[in-house]
Amino acid sequence: MTAWLTRIIPDQRSADARRDTAGTDGAIRLHRRLMSLFPDDAGPEARRRFGVLFRTEDTPAGVHILLQSTEKPDLTRLPDGYGDVRSRPLDPLLDALRAGLTVRYRCVASAVRKPGATTRALYNLPAVVPLSGAAADEWWLRQADATGLKPLQLHSQPLDTVHGRRGNSGPAAQQRVRHARTRFDGTAAITDPDLLREKIVEGIGRGKPYGCGLLSIAPARDAT
């Protein structure tokens, strides 16, 4: 399966680009924008069908958007003047993965745990509880192990919580969703290349329509 990585550098003179990257509600607007780059007739599971994962990154030059997908996006669907856009296949990177290779990684993820039914009822807890600090780090270490990575270094940073609604119309449109996000960076040794390829394409954890779950890796010597 071919995977594509697209980097979008929004032009802040574009009102569309500013709206898509502004505030904690911007993630759902950006998700809709990025999904518009793929065929319209994909049905309700379009994100999963096209393997769409994304995140925004703050850089010295401003916000950048990273989009990963299993189908090449139609970049002509972006509004005129939206920004500078480049796509490249990820296959050479994925094909080069091997056990024992040291890589640098980055993943913005929604680290959560699910309380048991008794605990939820006793303390009136939500279905999932967001994690932070050491608890979030432990969550990531478990995820990395299940992804085919053995972390050697780990740095984590809490990010803003993103907000959205479960749907565009009907009762779902009234249901607010919140995803607390943490950015995990570091180095790791590959333990299972096939599993790692699968998880890179699949994404990590919850909140994928809200800019969570995209795992980026690069050989340690080449990473910046």
Side-chain angles (χ1 to χ4, degrees):
M1 176 182 292
T2 298
W4 294 86
L5 182 66
T6 302
R7 181 180 293 271
I8 303 173
I9 304 176
D11 189 331
Q12 292 305 307
R13 294 172 295 183
S14 164
D16 291 306
R18 290 197 304 272
R19 281 193 297 269
D20 291 347
T21 56
T24 56
D25 290 331
I28 196 61
R29 291 192 296 271
L30 181 56
H31 174 254
R32 291 171 183 152
R33 176 75 66 194
L34 297 177
M35 290 306 304
S36 75
L37 307 182
F38 300 92
D40 301 323
D41 57 353
E45 295 293 325
R47 189 208 63 77
R48 187 185 302 273
R49 174 176 172 181
F50 299 125
V52 173
L53 299 166
F54 73 96
R55 72 168 179 264
T56 57
E57 295 198 329
D58 293 323
T59 77
V63 174
H64 289 192
I65 301 165
L66 290 181
L67 165 65
Q68 183 181 291
S69 56
T70 53
E71 178 163 321
K72 189 175 183 179
D74 182 356
L75 301 177
T76 64
R77 292 188 170 197
L78 284 172
D80 291 341
Y82 192 88
D84 181 66
V85 185
R86 298 181 182 180
S87 287
R88 62 180 176 88
L90 277 177
D91 297 43
L93 171 66
L94 298 179
D95 292 344
L97 300 181
R98 67 180 189 278
L101 179 69
T102 300
V103 295
R104 295 186 64 85
Y105 64 81
R106 171 170 291 176
C107 185
V108 171
S110 177
V112 299
R113 68 177 177 87
K114 296 181 179 181
T118 301
T119 302
R120 283 185 59 194
L122 183 61
Y123 295 100
N124 193 29
L125 295 174
V128 293
V129 176
L131 303 176
S132 61
D137 289 351
E138 291 173 4
W139 177 91
W140 169 252
L141 292 175
R142 293 193 298 271
Q143 296 297 317
D145 182 66
T147 299
L149 290 173
K150 178 182 179 181
L152 305 174
Q153 294 177 323
L154 168 60
H155 307 284
S156 61
Q157 177 183 346
L159 303 177
D160 292 341
T161 297
V162 293
H163 303 265
R165 298 185 185 276
R166 294 194 183 279
N168 298 324
S169 61
Q174 306 305 315
Q175 299 177 31
R176 299 282 293 179
V177 294
R178 300 170 66 253
H179 288 283
R181 301 179 302 154
T182 303
R183 192 181 80 187
F184 301 99
D185 294 277
T187 60
I190 297 176
T191 58
D192 188 329
D194 292 333
L195 180 59
L196 179 57
R197 292 185 191 98
E198 176 185 330
K199 292 297 186 178
I200 287 174
V201 172
E202 178 183 313
I204 307 296
R206 303 170 66 251
K208 297 181 181 73
Y210 301 90
C212 300
L214 172 58
L215 172 61
S216 301
I217 65 168
R221 64 181 183 279
D222 297 331
T224 57

